Amino acid sequence: MIAATASAPAGASEPELRLATEGGETLLFDHGTEACEPWDIPDTPTRAFREANGTLRVFQTTFRNRAAVGADFASLRHDCRIAFQGRDDPDPASFDHRGWIAATWTGDGKTVFAIVHDEYHGERFGAACGAESGPLACWYNALTAAVSRDGGASFEAVRPRRLVAAVPFRAEETRDGHAGYFEPTNIVAHDGALFMMANVVSPPPQRAGNCLLRTTGIEDPAGWRAFRDGGFPTRFADPYAGAVDGEAQLCDPIAPDVLRWPVTSLVRHVPSGLFVATMKGRTTDGDGRERTGVFYATSRDLIDWRGPALLFEAPIAGDCAAPATLAYPALIDTGSESRNFDTLSGDRATLTFVRTHRKACKDTPDRDVAMRPVRITVP
């Protein structure tokens, strides 16, 4: 996903928390020494949970999903065993293609539920694509569900229904470019329910942006509802199971003037009760200066947001002069008391992100996961 350039709207407001990076940088994953194969790469933001015995398991992976395992973040070791892999089915109706574990949630550390970013690329199976070409051609994306019964060591698709969220169109109806629900955030608990965001790209009448999804039953993939008209009435239907009422399957993008790029992590700052969203973006200051890097915003209710503010400036995709670019930022409290790391407990946190090394303006599989300490203050 390539972020569009944005400029600050007239009504923009400052976040209610102030975040600043401080101190040096360390590596959470070093591709040169830890990769199990050349394309064993970090291709999602950091997602972490604790097993029942206290072991930490972290997913930040590609479609051959592997985890890092350890007693804490300092002792994590990349495990070469594949915990999950889609079947790469050529039938788009299967919703079983290349799948990235993009969010996890566990109540007991034994049964672990995962939201999977499921990619179908029709051009790989001979489909005739529209105006787009390259990696965006015939790209049809959905969110699906998987479950682990062994603490996250292995996952399988939830059955009989695996589909969590899809646009109300079939793949063959969206072949002018990419479409679907992409890159879900981690899951956060709030007010007796679980929430996540996902970035939607779709033909009209759906508007592009970050959609907020809610469930009270993580074990049921069909239980997720999307925010619309002040509530969560939208249920997601399988477009291959029969006619779909597109108007009934809309979501309202959340705070598009603030959350201008795909949100990559959500956490709740316990002392203030505020939620913090991180994004990778590109913006232009009032003086015409372009700024790229990690931005953040804050909210009291996940609906109304303030920001964005620049947390960490760095080159991102599209900056050909840079030898390395940043992607997939996530804010995490490495000592969080939450089993699912969806909270920040105090005035310290850690920013994790993927640094991709480039050659001739092209990405290479040489990707590391870097960490920077963050200080949190209330203005």
Side-chain angles (χ1 to χ4, degrees):
M1 300 288 288
I2 299 174
T5 300
S7 57
S13 56
E14 292 296 320
E16 292 186 80
L17 295 174
R18 188 163 295 153
L19 275 58
T21 57
E22 60 178 18
E25 182 175 297
T26 57
L27 289 184
L28 184 62
F29 173 80
D30 182 344
H31 183 272
T33 61
E34 297 183 71
C36 305
E37 55 183 309
W39 283 98
D40 178 19
I41 59 173
D43 201 34
T44 59
T46 302
R47 306 295 188 232
F49 61 89
R50 289 191 184 94
E51 298 179 43
N53 63 5
T55 298
L56 176 65
R57 193 170 290 268
V58 177
F59 282 93
Q60 189 158 11
T61 182
T62 186
F63 56 86
R64 289 166 63 87
N65 293 263
R66 298 177 169 100
V69 184
D72 51 31
F73 276 85
S75 62
L76 285 174
R77 295 294 180 268
H78 190 62
D79 188 345
C80 285
R81 290 176 296 179
I82 295 175
F84 176 77
Q85 185 171 355
R87 291 192 297 125
D88 206 13
D89 194 320
D91 181 3
S94 71
F95 293 102
D96 192 357
H97 312 116
R98 289 181 171 177
W100 286 245
I101 290 179
T104 56
W105 186 268
T106 178
D108 59 9
K110 298 177 182 178
T111 301
V112 186
F113 296 94
I115 303 299
V116 177
H117 164 104
D118 183 83
E119 291 189 8
Y120 174 77
H121 290 271
E123 75 281 4
R124 295 181 56 244
F125 304 108
C129 303
E132 296 279 12
S133 60
L136 299 185
C138 293
W139 184 349
Y140 181 73
N141 221 84
L143 305 184
T144 61
V147 64
S148 170
R149 308 291 182 187
D150 55 11
S154 62
F155 286 81
E156 61 182 7
V158 175
R159 301 191 185 279
R161 174 186 160 121
R162 64 193 302 141
L163 183 63
V164 171
V167 292
F169 302 96
R170 298 181 177 187
E172 53 269 29
E173 298 174 299
T174 64
R175 286 184 178 162
D176 284 334
H178 64 309
Y181 280 83
F182 296 80
E183 300 176 340
T185 66
N186 56 297
I187 297 168
V188 295
H190 174 57
D191 198 23
L194 299 176
F195 296 81
M196 65 180 175
M197 285 190 184
N199 191 256
V200 62
V201 178
S202 174
Q206 175 64 58
R207 291 176 293 148
N210 291 291
C211 287
L212 182 64
L213 283 70
R214 176 185 186 273
T215 188
T216 55
I218 186 67
E219 68 283 350
D220 180 12
W224 289 91
R225 303 288 183 266
F227 180 78
R228 186 183 185 191
D229 296 333
F232 291 88
T234 298
R235 303 177 179 224
F236 293 99
D238 181 347
Y240 287 93
V244 175
D245 181 356
E247 288 288 342
Q249 200 162 312
L250 299 179
C251 75
D252 292 338
I254 298 293
D257 59 331
V258 177
L259 305 180
R260 302 179 222 166
W261 312 283
V263 174
T264 47
S265 76
L266 283 174
V267 284
R268 180 173 57 86
H269 182 242
V270 174
S272 67
L274 291 164
F275 293 94
V276 183
T278 58
M279 301 162 282
K280 176 197 74 176
R282 183 188 305 272
T283 189
T284 303
D285 286 346
D287 61 2
R289 180 187 174 192
E290 186 175 81
R291 310 288 292 274
T292 63
V294 180
F295 293 80
Y296 71 97
T298 62
S299 172
R300 294 193 174 275
D301 59 6
L302 293 170
I303 306 298
D304 297 312
W305 289 83
R306 295 180 62 171
L310 183 63
L311 170 59
F312 179 56
E313 190 164 10
I316 64 173
D319 296 333
C320 284
T325 57
L326 173 150
Y328 304 117
L331 197 64
I332 192 166
D333 178 356
T334 58
S336 175
E337 295 181 0
S338 165
R339 185 182 292 278
N340 295 283
F341 292 87
D342 62 326
T343 62
L344 306 175
S345 58
D347 62 358
R348 294 290 191 277
T350 299
L351 175 69
T352 68
F353 56 91
V354 174
R355 177 176 287 119
T356 301
H357 301 275
R358 319 190 81 202
K359 289 184 179 179
C361 200
K362 292 184 178 181
D363 292 348
T364 72
D366 187 4
R367 300 187 189 184
D368 304 322
V369 180
M371 304 190 296
R372 281 184 171 265
V374 172
R375 177 183 287 274
I376 305 168
T377 56
V378 180

